[in-house]
């Protein structure tokens, strides 16, 4: 149950070694300078991108030693091979837009797409490339139908839906693939926790500045993993970590603080196409624990039970469903019970909760949802607002967005890919969802 950020997973990104010595590529780039000339070094290295992606130039002739120390040639090979496999041969440079003498943005046309590449050269001769970031790919002739055909062919089961949102909850379906299929959504379930927190704050029952203990602890993929159990945190900090990096500790602490029953009532209030698939509302520690080999008997009872009996099982066995008994060696590799022990929703279910959150009059809600855009900065800038939550585990990848167009229209974009037999390609799914957003933004 971890978050997905396209920058972390899409294999079309070369992390720059330039950030080791100078802040050339950062999360927020300065505005491009006006009337900066294209230096001969920048032009030469930009033109050299064609030979680089067509494997016609040695890496040590193109990149600085520091770059190759940080990003070894084998890793560069993998990235370039993946790019060429997906987008074809590099053909020509469309444009070079400098932001300094040393670097800028290059648009490079491949057979199937146009890439926007941020490039920086060493100030010293022979001006090798010290920083390179593949920002985004715009697939030529891309459309929703081609994407739906592509995801239909993926192994396992996929869903995808775009809903236009209005203030009355009448979410109109724009384009879809398996829109009514309940699939595991991983950490996207945390949107329901945020919705309940938002309601309790709007009613004056809670405040963002309220302090609660970081307890009970769960497993997590970063963030507060090594924090002492019971560490005091504000609710705003917990919610921010829960959404932006999918921190499981803060998630379970919020579930405990807000009340599982209250969150379940919130789910019913928002609406869900198959409420029995999502409830009882498991904490991350409970879900992980139920998947452990040592809990086989309890797991089998849980899967066979109805919602009410599942709740009783959780209460009776609460001491065995905590982080304290968590043992990574009991999980092995590959998907584990993703059809039975997870959080499930259709794209329409996600559209409902996204619509509730985006209509909140509390600006902090939108701020929290936009902390991690899930796409590259260039793609995010195509929208007036972009909120995101994603999640994954072996065999599961799910990405959901709420976006506002430059014209003021609101949309929910949600898609999931499940395969109970083997791992799914998270980078490929992230790329597909980015393409969906780019087509919608046109």
């Amino acid at each position: 149950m971890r978050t997905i950020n396209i920058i972390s997973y899409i294999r079309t990104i070369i992390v720059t070694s330039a950030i080791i010595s100078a802040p050339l590529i950062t999360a927020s780039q300065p505005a491009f300078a006006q009337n900066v000339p294209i230096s001969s070094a920048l032009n030469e290295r930009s033109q050299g991108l064609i030979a680089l992606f067509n494997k016609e130039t040695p890496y040590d002739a193109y990149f600085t030693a520091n770059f190759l120390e940080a990003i070894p040639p084998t890793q560069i090979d993998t990235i370039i091979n993946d790019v060429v496999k997906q987008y074809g041969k590099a053909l020509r440079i469309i444009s070079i837009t400098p932001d300094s003498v040393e670097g800028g943005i290059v648009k490079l046309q491949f057979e199937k797409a146009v890439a926007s590449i941020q490039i920086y050269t060493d100030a010293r001769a022979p001006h090798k490339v010290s920083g390179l970031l593949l920002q985004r790919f715009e697939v030529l002739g891309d459309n929703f139908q081609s994407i739906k055909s592509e995801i239909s062919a993926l192994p396992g089961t996929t869903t995808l839906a775009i809903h236009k949102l209005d203030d009355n909850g009448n979410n109109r379906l724009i384009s879809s693939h398996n829109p009514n299929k309940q699939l595991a959504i991983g950490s996207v379930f945390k949107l329901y926790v945020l919705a309940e927190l938002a309601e309790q704050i709007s009613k004056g029952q809670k405040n963002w500045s309220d302090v609660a203990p970081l307890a009970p602890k769960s497993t997590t993929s970063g963030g507060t993993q090594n924090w002492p159990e019971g560490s005091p945190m504000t609710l705003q900090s917990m919610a921010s970590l829960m959404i932006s990096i999918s921190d499981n500790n803060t998630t379970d602490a919020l579930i405990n603080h807000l009340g599982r029953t209250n969150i379940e009532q919130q789910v019913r209030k928002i609406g869900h196409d198959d409420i029995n698939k999502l409830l009882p509302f498991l904490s991350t520690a409970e879900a992980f624990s139920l998947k452990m080999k040592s809990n086989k008997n309890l797991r089998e009872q849980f899967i066979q039970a109805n919602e009410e009996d599942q709740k009783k099982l959780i209460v009776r066995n609460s001491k065995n469903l905590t982080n304290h008994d968590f043992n990574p060696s009991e999980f092995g590799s590959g998907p584990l019970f993703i059809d039975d022990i997870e959080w499930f929703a259709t794209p329409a279910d996600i559209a409902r909760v996204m619509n509730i959150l985006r209509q909140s009059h509390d600006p902090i809600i939108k701020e929290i949802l936009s902390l991690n855009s899930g796409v590259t900065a260039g793609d995010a800038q195509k929208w007036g607002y972009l909120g995101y939550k994603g999640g994954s585990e072996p065999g599961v990848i799910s990405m959901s967005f709420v976006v506002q167009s430059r014209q003021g229209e609101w949309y929910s974009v949600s898609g999931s890919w499940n395969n109970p037999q083997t791992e799914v390609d998270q980078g490929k799914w992230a790329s597909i969802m980015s393409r969906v957003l780019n087509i919608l933004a046109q």
Side-chain angles (χ1 to χ4, degrees), residues 87 121 140 197:
Y87 301 112
T121 62
L140 300 174
L197 175 59

Side-chain angles (χ1 to χ4, degrees), residues 332-353:
S333 61
L336 287 175
F337 314 107
I338 65 170
D339 290 336
D340 298 302
I341 300 172
E342 243 277 356
W343 299 270
F344 299 90
T346 68
D349 295 328
I350 302 302
R352 293 186 194 101
V353 68

